[in-house]
Amino acid sequence: MCGYRRGWERLRLALGNSQSKTVWGAGRLRIVWVKANKLLPLHSGGDIRSYNILCQLAKDHAVTLLSYYDGSPDPAYEQELAKHFPEAVCVCTGKSDSRFARAVDFLRRVPHPAPFSVARFTSSKVRAQLRNWFDAGVFDVAVCDFLDAAVNFPLNLRIPSVLFQHNVESEIWRRHALTETNPLKKPVYQVEFRKMLDYEQTAVGRFHHVVAVSEHDRDLMKRWVAESRITVVPTGVDLQQYRPDANARELEGLVAFVGAMDWEPNVDAVEYFCNEIWPLVLAEIPSARFRIVGRNPDRRVQRFASNSVEVTGRVASVVDHLRQTAVVVVPLRVGGGTRLKIYEAMATGKAVVSTTVGAEGLDVHEGRDIILADTSRSFADAIITLLRDSALRRRLEQSASELAAQYDWSSIGRRFGQVLEGVARQAIASTESYQVAG
C-alpha cells in the first residue's frame, strides 16, 4: 500500500477511535471518495468531472480520496496528488497493466457473470481497506466513483454510500452491440452488454443513493430503483480556463473534434465522421481542414491523417486548439452521461454541431446554442452552412457562451455537497427513529 503520511496518520488515529464524534453537524462531512485508476493528469471527461467536484467539496468538508491503480508503485503520481488533496490515500494493487495481461485476464473471466470492464478493477487490498473503514465508522458518507470502484465496496454498507454514475454503462454497451458491424466484435459487445445490464442494475439498487449527470440517465436508472433515490447533478465547466478570447486567431475553415482518442465511442465517432460526413464537406469546401485533438490516438484514427485531416495526439492546451477552431463537431453514435467537451467548446465561444446522442443530457437548445444532426447529410450541411455564414456562426457562439456560463464547477460542487449532506442526514434520522422505536 502506498499512502501519504499526513492522510494515513489521520485515518490511522481515527481507526483507533471508532467512537469519534461525527463532525458534519458543524458544517463538515467526513467524506471518503473511492476511485479506480489514477486521477491525474486530467485527461478523460470523468477524471475532469471528479477532480473539479472533489476540489469544491474539499472547501467545505473533510475529504479523503482513496485512489487505487495497477502496475508498479508511482511515487511521482502520489506526490502530485498530495498537492491537490493532502488527505489522499493511495493503493498500488501491483497487478500488471499491460495489454497482454489484460487479454489473459479477459479470457479468464469470460465464464464469470460480472462484466470484464468492471471485474478487472477488483482488488483484495482495496476491499480490505474499505471494510476496515466501514466497520470502524471513520466516515459520515462514502462516494463510489462509478461502477469501476463498486466491485470493492462491502456488501454490508454500514455508512451511507452514494454511487456516482458518470453514465449508464449498460447503455453504452447496448449501443456498441447495436452499431458494431465487425462480425468478431459484435458478439463480444452483445455478451458484455447482457453482463453489464445485470451487474449495473444490482449495483444501482444496493447503494443508498445514486447521483446521475443527466435527466436522461435518471430515466434509464429509475427502472431499477425508486426515482427518489436518484439525484441529477449536471456536468460543469471551468469558466476560468474555458472562455472566449477576442485576440485569438481563428483559422478559416477549421473543424475540430476534441476527446480522448483511445476511448471506443470517440474512435467510432471519428470513423463515422471521416468516412461519411467529411467527404461531403470537402466536396463543397475543398479548403476545409479537420483536426482531431486528443491523447493516444488509436491506429484506426491515425490512418485518417492526410492533407485535410490532422491528428494531433496529446496536446499541451485544448483551449488553444478550440480558440483556433471555427466549428466543433461531436458526431458520437455511442455513449452515455454528458459530454464535457460540448460545454467546454461553448464556454470558449464556439459553434457546436452534434448528434442527438452526443448532446444527450445537456441543457442545450437546437438551433439556438447548438445544431443537432443525426444523418451524414444533415451533419455535413450544418458544418458547410456555419463555415460559409459567419454572422449565423457568431449568433450561435454567443448563445452557446451564455448557456455554458450557467454551469461553473463551483455551483455544481455545491449541489453535489447538498446531496451528500441529505444522505447523511437521512441516515442519522433513520438511526434515531430506530432507537426510539426500540
Side-chain angles (χ1 to χ4, degrees):
M1 180 177 297
C2 323
Y4 312 122
R5 183 175 299 277
R6 179 182 172 191
W8 182 248
E9 282 300 305
R10 182 184 72 81
L11 292 171
R12 185 183 63 80
L13 291 172
L15 281 169
N17 179 19
S18 60
Q19 301 302 315
S20 57
K21 185 176 180 180
T22 183
V23 297
W24 87 275
R28 287 175 65 82
L29 281 172
R30 298 171 305 177
I31 303 168
V32 59
W33 185 292
V34 185
K35 176 169 177 54
N37 283 333
K38 296 175 181 177
L39 178 62
L40 302 175
L42 301 175
H43 291 310
S44 71
D47 288 346
I48 293 170
R49 185 184 289 113
S50 295
Y51 173 82
N52 281 282
I53 292 176
L54 277 164
C55 286
Q56 298 304 320
L57 290 175
K59 294 178 180 179
D60 301 315
H61 304 287
V63 178
T64 296
L65 168 62
L66 173 59
S67 172
Y68 70 97
Y69 58 92
D70 295 341
S72 303
D74 189 346
Y77 165 69
E78 297 183 14
Q79 291 167 10
E80 181 62 26
L81 191 64
K83 296 176 184 177
H84 300 260
F85 306 104
E87 306 300 325
V89 172
C90 281
V91 173
C92 175
T93 67
K95 294 192 297 184
S96 174
D97 57 357
S98 69
R99 287 189 175 183
F100 176 76
R102 288 190 180 182
V104 172
D105 194 25
F106 173 79
L107 293 175
R108 183 172 62 85
R109 295 182 185 275
V110 167
H112 295 190
F116 172 72
S117 55
V118 169
R120 71 184 184 88
F121 291 100
T122 303
S123 167
S124 59
K125 292 181 181 179
V126 177
R127 284 184 169 181
Q129 182 62 79
L130 289 176
R131 185 168 57 249
N132 289 339
W133 284 344
F134 273 68
D135 290 345
V138 177
F139 299 100
D140 301 306
V141 64
V143 178
C144 176
D145 195 341
F146 195 46
L147 294 177
D148 298 349
V151 293
N152 295 311
F153 268 65
L155 291 177
N156 183 10
L157 299 175
R158 295 190 178 186
I159 64 173
S161 300
V162 174
L163 176 63
F164 184 17
Q165 285 276 73
H166 293 258
N167 54 55
V168 180
E169 192 72 5
S170 57
E171 183 66 4
I172 293 179
W173 287 101
R174 184 189 70 81
R175 288 172 174 169
H176 271 311
L178 187 66
T179 60
E180 182 57 57
T181 57
N182 186 313
L184 296 178
K185 287 185 177 181
K186 194 174 186 68
V188 174
Y189 287 152
Q190 291 171 334
V191 170
E192 193 74 357
F193 161 62
R194 289 193 292 269
K195 287 184 176 183
M196 183 61 75
L197 183 62
D198 290 341
Y199 177 85
E200 191 166 30
Q201 181 174 353
T202 301
V204 167
R206 78 184 187 91
F207 280 82
H208 296 98
H209 204 80
V210 178
V211 172
V213 296
S214 71
E215 294 291 344
H216 176 268
D217 283 5
R218 178 164 66 175
D219 287 342
L220 290 174
M221 289 187 287
K222 71 183 182 182
R223 298 173 299 178
W224 308 331
V225 68
E227 188 173 0
S228 60
R229 290 173 55 190
I230 308 173
T231 300
V232 175
V233 178
T235 200
V237 62
D238 184 349
L239 296 179
Q240 295 300 312
Q241 180 180 10
Y242 293 92
R243 61 180 186 272
D245 183 355
N247 297 319
R249 185 172 69 91
E250 183 178 285
L251 301 182
E252 184 177 355
L254 181 61
V255 178
F257 174 86
V258 177
M261 292 318 306
D262 55 358
W263 192 50
E264 191 63 30
N266 285 346
V267 175
D268 176 80
V270 166
E271 286 189 301
Y272 166 57
F273 185 83
C274 290
N275 287 329
E276 300 187 29
I277 299 172
W278 191 236
L280 300 177
V281 175
L282 290 179
E284 295 292 327
I285 308 179
S287 61
R289 295 293 178 267
F290 179 44
R291 181 178 291 172
I292 303 168
V293 182
R295 63 181 173 90
N296 300 336
D298 186 278
R299 62 179 180 276
R300 290 170 291 170
V301 175
Q302 294 176 359
R303 68 184 176 88
F304 289 112
S306 64
N307 291 335
S308 68
V309 178
E310 177 187 1
V311 181
T312 68
R314 191 187 303 274
V315 297
S317 172
V318 170
V319 180
D320 291 342
H321 285 276
L322 285 174
R323 287 174 175 161
Q324 294 176 0
T325 301
V327 178
V328 174
V329 295
V330 187
L332 283 166
R333 300 187 296 178
V334 177
T338 55
R339 262 33 100 204
L340 275 77
K341 61 173 67 72
I342 288 184
Y343 276 170
E344 290 172 351
M346 287 180 161
T348 313
K350 293 301 168 181
V352 178
V353 181
S354 173
T355 57
T356 302
V357 169
E360 206 167 58
L362 295 178
D363 180 28
V364 294
H365 311 88
E366 156 63 9
R368 189 169 81 194
D369 43 49
I370 195 171
I371 295 180
L372 301 178
D374 289 320
T375 68
S376 303
R377 183 73 262 175
S378 62
F379 206 113
D381 287 345
I383 296 170
I384 293 166
T385 300
L386 288 172
L387 291 179
R388 286 176 170 170
D389 191 339
S390 60
L392 172 62
R393 193 166 75 246
R394 299 303 175 217
R395 289 196 296 271
L396 196 70
E397 291 170 347
Q398 179 63 34
S399 296
S401 181
E402 292 172 356
L403 175 67
Q406 303 174 33
Y407 292 94
D408 185 66
W409 281 119
S410 60
S411 62
I412 301 304
R414 282 194 299 271
R415 292 173 69 170
F416 204 104
Q418 290 167 357
V419 173
L420 299 186
E421 290 168 7
V423 172
R425 189 179 299 113
Q426 184 177 17
I428 290 177
S430 298
T431 300
E432 292 175 347
S433 176
Y434 175 80
Q435 291 173 343
V436 170

